[in-house]
Amino acid sequence: MNNILLSNEIIIFLFVQIILFILLTIAFYFSISIIKNWDFTKTTNKQYKLEKTSYLVILIISFTLIVKIFLFPYFAYSLDNLSNIVPGAMCAAGIVGANEFGQINLFIKILILFFIGIWLIINSLDLKEKTYPYTKKKYLLYIFIFLLSIFELLLDFSFLNNISLKEPVMCCSVIFGVNNTETKIPFDLSISTLLIVFYLLYLLTVFLSIQKLSFLNFITNFMFLYIGYYSVTYFFSTYIYQLPTHQCPFCMLQKEYFFIGYFIWGSLFLGTFFGIASYILEKLINKNLLYTYKYSSLFNFIFIFLCSFYVLRYYFVNGVFL
């Protein structure tokens, strides 16, 4: 094999991405017409045809976006498998850093996931109303997602096609090495201070969810996502690997660690998503959805529990902390 694009996992990933993009393009074409001509107050044949078309387009969009949600962890799995053929890589960390497209590609995918979640919620609310009050808004949001998807697909090919199988990449021990920890943690926080901020932010998200303060909840969950990433990478991961010098957000996705990384990062994303979404949805559709606060608290708790579990388990088994 002399090309990353010939990898079985990458072939499957890109094939699915292209099929989904074709479906998204079809939906985009009809979305423009629906946005221009939609008026539920009219009883014309044109409006009736638009409503029938909208049902089909919504089905295509919903199916495609849901598949894209499940495609993201497969993408992470594929990158992890590439570490077996890319020189120097121990996990997906080296693959993502193999060229200048890797990190922005990963960021765009996460951003798309966030807006997919927003779209699915708005669509669900819209279909429950007899007058479909959010139809134009959800199609406008879909067009934004579609534009991001174009950028994503271009980045996919640019990123994967520029991964060299001859030049070694940096492994996670170099990228997230223990010697560079202090310079990489935001605001030059020490590990102990980082953990204090981490747990205080979590408690604040719980309090704000109970109080239903959407804007403050939005800010706090965004900060919790940011601090949570660094806390897992530079502290909690060492207890998952049971090695103080092993700091990496990607290795925990591997089967040697029972794929726990998917649950840790998934719960962090879902918890902060619902916390952030409560404010975004309030601004977009003027509704304060109470269940978003409950789901935010639930998934943030799961995230905190998983992280803390590995620390406590290590202490009870070994009688010391790392």
Side-chain angles (χ1 to χ4, degrees), residues 8-116:
N8 291 335
E9 293 81 8
I10 298 303
I11 290 173
I12 294 171
F13 169 76
L14 290 177
F15 176 77
V16 175
Q17 275 284 67
I18 292 171
I19 295 298
L20 294 180
F21 183 74
I22 292 172
L23 292 175
L24 290 174
T25 303
I26 295 171
F28 171 76
Y29 173 79
F30 289 104
S31 296
I32 298 297
S33 175
I34 293 171
I35 291 172
K36 286 182 177 180
N37 302 294
W38 182 270
D39 188 350
F40 192 76
T41 61
K42 294 182 178 180
T43 56
T44 62
N45 287 333
K46 185 175 184 180
Q47 175 61 25
Y48 177 68
K49 290 180 179 178
L50 281 177
E51 290 174 22
K52 292 180 65 177
T53 302
S54 181
Y55 283 122
L56 177 60
V57 174
I58 288 171
L59 181 62
I60 294 173
I61 295 175
S62 299
F63 168 78
T64 307
L65 296 185
I66 290 173
V67 173
K68 283 185 74 68
I69 292 175
F70 289 99
L71 191 60
F72 179 76
Y74 181 77
F75 174 72
Y77 170 79
S78 299
L79 294 188
D80 198 58
N81 276 358
L82 288 181
S83 63
N84 296 320
I85 61 175
V86 176
M90 295 177 60
C91 64
I95 308 300
V96 171
N99 56 59
E100 66 272 23
F101 303 107
Q103 292 187 354
I104 184 65
N105 190 23
L106 188 61
F107 173 77
I108 291 297
K109 289 183 182 299
I110 295 173
L111 189 64
I112 289 174
L113 285 182
F114 174 82
F115 285 111
I116 286 175

Side-chain angles (χ1 to χ4, degrees), residues 91-149:
C91 64
I95 308 300
V96 171
N99 56 59
E100 66 272 23
F101 303 107
Q103 292 187 354
I104 184 65
N105 190 23
L106 188 61
F107 173 77
I108 291 297
K109 289 183 182 299
I110 295 173
L111 189 64
I112 289 174
L113 285 182
F114 174 82
F115 285 111
I116 286 175
I118 296 292
W119 190 91
L120 290 173
I121 292 174
I122 294 177
N123 179 60
S124 175
L125 293 172
D126 188 52
L127 295 178
K128 290 178 182 178
E129 300 288 338
K130 294 181 179 180
T131 59
Y132 307 110
Y134 312 123
T135 295
K136 285 192 175 182
K137 287 184 178 180
K138 73 182 182 184
Y139 278 114
L140 286 170
L141 178 58
Y142 166 71
I143 289 176
F144 177 68
I145 294 173
F146 176 72
L147 295 176
L148 285 178
S149 297

